[in-house]
Amino acid sequence: MTGWANISQVKEKIAQTSAEDVTASYLERIRKSRINAYTTIWEGAIEKAREIDEQGHNGPLAGIPIAIKDNISTRGISTTCSSKILQGYVPPYDAHIVERLKDAGAIILGKTNMDEFAMGTSTESSCYGPTLNPWDKARVPGGSSGGSAAVVAAGEAPISVGSDTGGSVRCPAAFCGVVGLKPTYGTISRYGLISYANSLEQIGPLATCVSDIAALMDVIGGHDARDSTSVQTETMYKDALVDDVSGLKIGVPAEYFGAGIDPAVENSVWDAIQLFEELGASWEQVSLPHTSYALAAYYIIAMSEASSNLARFDGTRYGLRNEGENWHVMASRTRAEGFGAEVKRRILLGTYALSAGYHDKYYLKALKVRTLVKQDFDQAFKEFDCLMTPTMPTPAFKLEEKVEDPLALYLADVNTVPINLAGVPSISLPCGFTDGLPIGLQIISKHFDEATVLRAAYSFEQNTEHHTRRPAEVA
Amino acid sequence: MVYENVDGVKIGLEIHVQLNKLNTKLFCGCSTDYHNDEPNTHVCPVCLGLPGALPVLNKRAVEFAMKVGLALNCDIVGQTQFHRKNYYYPDLPKGFQTTQYDFPIASHGKVIIDGEDGERIVRITRAHMEEDPGKLMHIGSIEKSKGTLINYNRSGMALIEIVSEPDMRSPKEARRFLDKLRSILEYLDVFNGDLEGAMRVDANISVMGGERVEVKNISSHKGVEKAALYEIMRQKNFVRRGGKVVLETRHFDEQRGVTLSMRSKEEEHDYRYFPEPDLVPMRVADRVPEVIKTLPELPDAKRERFTSQYGMADMHAKALTSEIKVANFYEQVANLVDPRSAAVWVADILKGELNYRDVSVDAFKVEDIVEIIELVTGNKITERSGVEIIRTILDNGGTPAAIVKEKGLIKVEEDIVTKAVTEVLEENPEALQDYLGGKEKSLNFLVGQVMKKTAGRSDAKTTREMLLDRISKLPPK
Ligand SMILES: [Zn+2]
């Protein structure tokens, strides 16, 4: 059984058999996997499932297997950010969302592969090697939460969580043909999420359908006193699942259909917008004039924060240590060996951007651009309920196609990073296929208006078949 | 008298004060009560800087910092803002220190000290909040130790760094400033200066308009005074020999009493400050009025009140109010006996004996000093015996009553003294004649003789009066 399934299908299966059987069959599938999407398989999952069978559990995710991105702390389960420098690190504590998931009865199957420290768009910079796209193993699954998207697409977990700093949930969701949400900044506690760029990132759910996204949000969303940026929200995400977009005002930002966009992607997105119109929504073009500066601002801010966030990995307390004649030599050797090329590149660029003499020119300027980008969105949302764009300008590209060209890789994020700069919510869901590769539609809304995003996405899903397609080898 | 400051000495201080009266650390729930515990037992993911852990600002720490700012007559910032100060060091678990940068919690204050020539204002540039790093330890000496041990119990303790303008003109003024600051902090009940590492000072010292030299991490007030004395002498000699003082950082070797060069300022780190994304601003401006209400009476106000309420000399008021414990002790005593006698006994005598032994006023009971004062003012024992009782209690313990009894300190009956006076006058006719002939000093001799006869149990003042009375009644010869 199992494979591609949503929560209610898994629940049905558990009722017919047991949580243990379901978990065992997922683990079986994972062991046979050829896409390299898991970094750690948690063998305790079976026992946990058995416990739920024996003792019962009335949590909303009782017995539902889930995969967790390798940058989210799990007590007693290795958490490495797919980096050599964190080899051997086993957190002594659970991230807030992991606590919530456990309380809800979810069974952790394991940790998923990612770009090292979430720095990438292809999951190729992992120290465990790349994850392959289940739709075409010669292609990347997107990144940085490539593992989390791929396991859902390949039926190796019904649901998963990733993190999205500049598109890291939505990009792989688009490339793997699943649904992924980047919630409003502050909606989900980051406590336990290993920081890459704190001011930009949010944990986000991935699933085969919009209702599962809402179900996961109801479990992992909400205030946590341990994250000062976490916000008190009252949203009941499941309530947003209404198949009705009549009167919905959609803005279509011209800047997101710029040069380099794949014609098939452009067509699919326009088809989707047309469908919304048929369902009772209206659309108009809108301009977000500062979009072209967003990418540069994003990378400066993200790299600056990263250069500081990653300073703690010095071999002193946990993870890899390469000895040296004194502490500084030890720390240098550890970092030289422990970090991959992309991580080093970003630390160096971030350090540079914050340095005396350059701080104002780069970091401060980037903050100003960020404000302008945010204002673009505020302005747009005065007129529109949501915006629709392609998530990625192209379908999944080939493995190694962009490894040697970091700039080309950065450019792939052009439609996702402005959303993180602004802090607004956005979802990616399948809206078509080209040459057997999925295409993602991005729906963006204003701060804390996940309800509109989910309602639009749910309505689209109810009136289309894209989300029912699955990779050839998934039963 | 105006202090000339011929060497053009300028001293500015940066004082790191641990807000160790808080129950928990600055950004996590770990207990601050680690001083007697094993290393690394007061730690959690946050203060160990484990991946994924996030800081949460301790609201009470902010309140403590506001109190300090207000007591130093500072302006309080509208909302808190923290930055990251990035540098690598093994005691720094995150690879950066979370600190306040361009928006310190308090700024533009002042403290009044007893300067070289009367009251002197020392301006406070700023006071900002930050976290303490862990502590490095070596087995044996740094050179011989096989490795470095790190204790993170201290990591994340709330510090307030107080920065003064270079308004002090002598090492003595620097010391007085620190004494005053400690006094204020203890009045505020935010700080226990007796705990190890509670206050660390960096001193910026310059002479004759030259560049300043920073002497880092001095752990005592006395050390600051000594370091400044040494540094002034060193800089003066250097300039005299034609040298030019450059910006540099020096280390104070407390044992040898000398400062040693660490690094020149040009090599200083670029800390790459940027706003801490994991903390949101906390509005504090609206809380100022409520915090002001919680401020206790501070040393200067108490000193004034003591002189007016108890009619004591300003000298005594100053001595009694410099330490909150002593001030509270005094007021308890003053409620039970004559406040002026109490002032003399506590400020002049008891405090001296305590300082001599380097113990705090906690070592003495209010009821004991009250009993001693009553014995003296009731003329039961001499002043000297009173002092002796204090010393005995401090050195060996016991109660005033028991000590009086054991040492036979009750003043002898007057007729014994009367008898001694008669005998001394009979035995020393020459001295008597000398006195009558105008030699004042001879009277002292006679007083001494009487006291010798009574084995010191009569006091000089009474003896003197009795002798004069008797002499005036002698039949003329
Ligand atoms: Zn702690």
Side-chain angles (χ1 to χ4, degrees):
Chain A
M1 91 115 237
T2 60
W4 186 292
N6 61 32
I7 292 176
S8 56
Q9 287 163 338
V10 176
K11 274 190 175 162
E12 224 168 276
K13 203 77 196 170
I14 291 171
Q16 287 162 14
T17 59
S18 68
E20 185 179 343
D21 283 353
V22 168
T23 300
S25 76
Y26 271 107
L27 289 175
E28 181 64 21
R29 209 180 164 83
I30 295 166
R31 280 190 203 98
K32 287 184 188 153
S33 170
R34 286 180 293 163
I35 58 167
N36 192 34
Y38 279 91
T39 59
T40 303
I41 301 167
W42 190 50
E43 298 298 340
I46 285 287
E47 203 178 311
K48 205 77 209 161
R50 193 180 303 143
E51 211 177 284
I52 282 179
D53 286 331
E54 285 167 7
Q55 298 166 11
H57 197 292
N58 53 13
L61 298 177
I64 308 291
I66 190 167
I68 312 261
K69 191 177 180 180
D70 201 30
N71 61 351
I72 297 173
S73 304
T74 40
R75 192 164 85 174
I77 309 175
S78 162
T79 300
T80 70
C81 293
S82 290
S83 177
K84 198 170 178 187
I85 209 160
L86 273 172
Q87 291 309 304
Y89 172 61
V90 178
Y93 76 105
D94 273 330
H96 173 77
I97 66 138
V98 173
E99 284 177 357
R100 288 274 184 98
L101 288 168
K102 285 181 174 174
D103 287 349
I107 311 280
I108 296 170
L109 292 172
K111 307 302 285 286
T112 57
N113 203 10
M114 55 187 280
D115 281 296
E116 185 181 3
F117 282 102
M119 297 175 181
T121 309
S122 64
T123 314
E124 289 171 287
S125 69
S126 162
C127 73
Y128 306 106
T131 292
L132 314 182
N133 191 319
W135 296 87
D136 177 353
K137 291 197 207 54
R139 291 179 187 266
V140 301
S144 65
S145 312
S148 288
V151 296
V152 173
E156 295 177 13
I159 50 174
S160 68
V161 284
S163 67
D164 190 316
T165 311
S168 285
V169 162
R170 292 158 289 153
C171 160
F175 281 7
C176 292
V178 299
V179 189
L181 174 73
K182 198 253 2 145
T184 307
Y185 188 77
T187 303
I188 300 177
S189 169
R190 290 182 293 115
Y191 190 78
L193 167 67
I194 300 179
S195 302
Y196 154 33
N198 333 42
S199 76
L200 297 160
E201 61 209 7
Q202 275 290 285
I203 287 171
L206 293 113
T208 59
C209 62
V210 178
S211 351
D212 286 1
I213 295 288
L216 259 171
M217 283 302 293
D218 279 328
V219 170
I220 63 177
H223 182 250
D224 171 23
R226 291 169 299 184
D227 175 0
S228 308
T229 63
S230 144
V231 177
Q232 198 85 47
T233 51
E234 305 286 316
T235 317
M236 284 299 296
Y237 299 92
K238 278 244 170 183
D239 294 349
L241 302 175
V242 183
D243 178 10
D244 179 8
V245 290
S246 50
L248 186 77
K249 286 193 229 160
I250 302 165
V252 183
E255 292 84 355
Y256 286 66
F257 295 79
I261 188 166
D262 184 289
V265 170
E266 189 166 11
N267 288 338
S268 287
V269 171
W270 277 113
D271 287 348
I273 293 166
Q274 222 140 36
L275 178 67
F276 276 103
E277 195 174 23
E278 285 162 27
L279 294 172
S282 63
W283 68 267
E284 248 178 85
Q285 287 227 318
V286 60
S287 175
L288 304 177
H290 296 97
T291 303
S292 57
Y293 308 108
L295 200 70
Y298 166 82
Y299 274 101
I300 288 171
I301 293 170
M303 290 173 183
S304 297
E305 290 180 10
S307 71
S308 169
N309 288 328
L310 271 60
R312 70 189 65 196
F313 304 106
D314 56 19
T316 305
R317 291 159 298 272
Y318 43 78
L320 180 77
R321 175 191 287 193
N322 279 359
E323 296 294 347
E325 59 266 34
N326 62 46
W327 184 82
H328 288 274
V329 173
M330 178 199 84
S332 303
R333 283 184 185 160
T334 301
R335 291 167 70 79
E337 193 198 325
F339 289 138
E342 183 59 27
V343 172
K344 282 179 190 160
R345 180 181 296 124
R346 295 196 190 191
I347 291 174
L348 287 172
L349 287 170
T351 304
Y352 178 78
L354 286 174
S355 297
Y358 301 98
H359 184 275
D360 294 6
K361 203 168 144 194
Y362 295 113
Y363 181 73
L364 274 191
K365 194 147 208 173
L367 290 186
K368 284 177 192 159
V369 170
R370 182 178 192 168
T371 306
L372 294 172
V373 168
K374 210 182 270 177
Q375 283 169 3
D376 279 358
F377 281 99
D378 291 346
Q379 204 59 38
F381 289 125
K382 280 184 189 159
E383 256 183 275
F384 300 100
D385 300 315
C386 63
L387 306 175
M388 291 190 190
T389 79
T391 307
M392 300 300 290
T394 65
F397 45 86
K398 290 214 168 87
L399 285 160
E400 286 179 32
E401 188 182 318
K402 299 190 180 181
V403 167
E404 296 304 320
D405 188 356
L407 203 58
L409 205 55
Y410 298 170
L411 282 169
D413 299 338
V414 68
N415 283 3
T416 50
V417 298
I419 283 79
N420 298 77
L421 285 176
V424 293
S426 99
I427 201 167
S428 177
L429 72 164
C431 71
F433 287 82
T434 170
D435 295 333
L437 296 172
I439 294 168
L441 166 70
Q442 175 168 241
I443 308 175
I444 311 153
S445 182
K446 61 176 183 285
H447 289 100
F448 302 107
D449 193 13
E450 273 77 0
T452 296
V453 163
L454 289 171
R455 179 162 61 96
Y458 181 76
S459 303
F460 184 78
E461 199 179 76
Q462 291 299 305
N463 292 281
T464 54
E465 301 291 324
H466 308 295
H467 66 286
T468 59
R469 260 177 86 167
R470 52 199 71 174
E473 66 180 72
V474 179
Chain B
M1 177 198 74
V2 173
Y3 180 67
E4 304 243 352
N5 193 13
V6 284
D7 299 321
V9 171
K10 280 187 187 170
I11 304 174
L13 300 175
E14 293 170 25
I15 307 109
H16 295 82
V17 176
Q18 218 180 41
L19 298 175
N20 52 19
K21 286 252 179 153
L22 289 167
N23 297 321
T24 55
K25 295 183 182 179
L26 184 54
F27 298 121
C28 65
C30 287
S31 148
T32 56
D33 188 17
Y34 61 79
H35 289 86
N36 298 316
D37 291 345
E38 289 291 306
N40 300 313
T41 52
H42 291 248
V43 291
C44 71
V46 177
C47 57
L48 277 179
L50 291 189
L54 300 172
V56 175
L57 180 55
N58 181 337
K59 206 174 157 188
R60 198 139 171 265
V62 176
E63 217 167 274
F64 275 27
M66 287 170 77
K67 277 189 184 188
V68 173
L70 290 166
L72 302 180
N73 305 295
C74 288
D75 301 331
I76 302 296
V77 76
Q79 57 182 27
T80 62
Q81 162 86 76
F82 283 86
H83 273 67
R84 290 184 180 184
K85 180 180 181 179
N86 295 287
Y87 65 97
Y88 288 96
Y89 212 64
D91 62 7
L92 204 62
K94 294 177 291 180
F96 59 83
Q97 183 190 32
T98 309
T99 178
Q100 293 186 319
Y101 183 52
D102 43 8
F103 295 99
I105 183 105
S107 56
H108 304 107
K110 63 171 197 227
V111 170
I112 298 168
I113 61 164
D114 286 316
E116 294 283 357
D117 47 4
E119 264 187 11
R120 177 144 185 96
I121 291 174
V122 176
R123 290 166 299 160
I124 303 296
T125 319
R126 56 185 277 155
H128 69 255
M129 304 178 69
E130 63 186 26
E131 59 182 339
D132 217 347
K135 196 166 191 249
L136 301 183
M137 293 190 282
H138 295 91
I139 299 172
S141 68
I142 291 191
E143 292 78 20
K144 284 184 184 156
S145 179
K146 279 195 181 151
T148 302
L149 301 170
I150 316 176
N151 181 357
Y152 290 106
N153 280 348
R154 194 178 77 178
S155 171
M157 286 290 285
L159 293 180
I160 185 158
E161 181 178 335
I162 299 159
V163 181
S164 87
E165 292 289 320
D167 288 345
M168 287 149 278
R169 299 163 299 174
S170 68
K172 193 165 97 188
E173 286 191 345
R175 167 109 189 242
R176 294 235 170 112
F177 173 78
L178 289 170
D179 289 343
K180 185 67 175 276
L181 183 64
R182 174 169 173 164
S183 162
I184 292 170
L185 293 167
E186 292 193 333
Y187 266 65
L188 294 172
D189 202 24
V190 298
F191 165 77
N192 176 359
D194 296 333
L195 291 176
E196 191 238 328
M199 201 190 250
R200 278 116 58 196
V201 183
D202 301 339
N204 287 298
I205 301 154
S206 68
V207 300
M208 295 174 272
E211 291 284 12
R212 73 195 150 84
V213 169
E214 184 177 27
V215 185
K216 278 256 186 227
N217 222 351
I218 316 170
S219 58
S220 71
H221 299 192
K222 225 180 260 175
V224 171
E225 193 175 12
K226 273 164 60 186
L229 274 170
Y230 176 85
E231 192 52 32
I232 291 164
M233 189 191 68
R234 187 191 69 82
Q235 289 183 28
K236 268 167 60 186
N237 286 338
F238 189 61
V239 173
R240 198 170 296 138
R241 289 196 308 270
K244 190 164 180 287
V245 177
V246 290
L247 274 181
E248 67 167 337
T249 302
R250 296 178 75 87
H251 155 79
F252 180 56
D253 183 329
E254 206 120 25
Q255 273 160 358
R256 290 161 59 203
V258 299
T259 67
L260 305 161
S261 187
M262 280 167 71
R263 56 164 189 251
S264 72
K265 280 269 176 183
E266 290 92 293
E267 310 165 18
E268 213 185 76
H269 302 282
D270 173 3
Y271 290 118
R272 306 190 313 278
Y273 285 97
F274 74 100
E276 167 57 85
D278 289 331
L279 288 168
V280 289
M282 184 188 278
R283 264 203 78 72
V284 291
D286 346 338
R287 276 160 61 198
V288 169
E290 137 208 357
V291 174
I292 286 177
K293 270 187 225 153
T294 69
L295 286 183
E297 182 184 39
L298 292 169
D300 289 344
K302 205 180 277 285
R303 177 169 162 186
E304 243 169 67
R305 178 168 66 80
F306 274 20
T307 50
S308 59
Q309 181 177 342
Y310 300 115
M312 66 176 75
D314 181 56
M315 178 189 74
H316 286 150
K318 189 183 144 199
L320 289 172
T321 54
S322 70
E323 251 183 277
I324 180 77
K325 279 181 188 169
V326 174
N328 291 341
F329 182 91
Y330 166 76
E331 291 215 271
Q332 289 179 56
V333 177
N335 278 337
L336 300 167
V337 296
D338 168 45
R340 276 191 234 195
S341 314
V344 174
W345 276 90
V346 178
D348 285 349
I349 302 165
L350 178 60
K351 216 178 156 213
E353 296 297 332
L354 293 170
N355 287 348
Y356 176 71
R357 288 166 182 76
D358 202 18
V359 291
S360 97
V361 73
D362 297 336
F364 217 84
K365 289 197 190 107
V366 169
E367 67 221 51
D368 287 350
I369 192 75
V370 165
E371 196 175 337
I372 292 165
I373 296 170
E374 278 171 343
L375 284 168
V376 174
T377 51
N379 230 3
K380 299 272 184 5
I381 60 169
T382 63
E383 263 185 45
R384 227 170 78 192
S385 303
V387 175
E388 196 178 339
I389 297 168
I390 290 174
R391 287 177 182 161
T392 311
I393 290 176
L394 285 173
D395 294 337
N396 309 315
T399 63
I403 296 165
V404 164
K405 200 169 160 203
E406 189 194 328
K407 302 206 169 187
L409 296 178
I410 286 290
K411 269 194 203 167
V412 286
E413 298 300 322
E414 210 151 277
D415 56 334
I416 297 180
V417 186
T418 316
K419 196 172 147 234
V421 167
T422 315
E423 281 172 17
V424 165
L425 286 174
E426 277 169 10
E427 286 161 17
N428 299 283
E430 309 84 14
L432 176 62
Q433 282 313 310
D434 286 351
Y435 173 72
L436 289 172
K439 254 179 111 179
E440 285 284 336
K441 274 188 182 166
S442 299
L443 185 64
N444 291 345
F445 170 77
L446 293 169
V447 170
Q449 291 302 308
V450 174
M451 288 178 74
K452 205 167 159 191
K453 263 188 192 296
T454 59
R457 279 175 293 173
S458 58
D459 64 50
K461 199 173 151 229
T462 333
T463 308
R464 194 183 176 88
E465 276 163 14
M466 285 176 69
L467 271 167
L468 286 173
D469 184 56
R470 183 70 61 79
I471 291 166
S472 71
K473 286 174 189 160
L474 283 175
K477 284 211 168 156

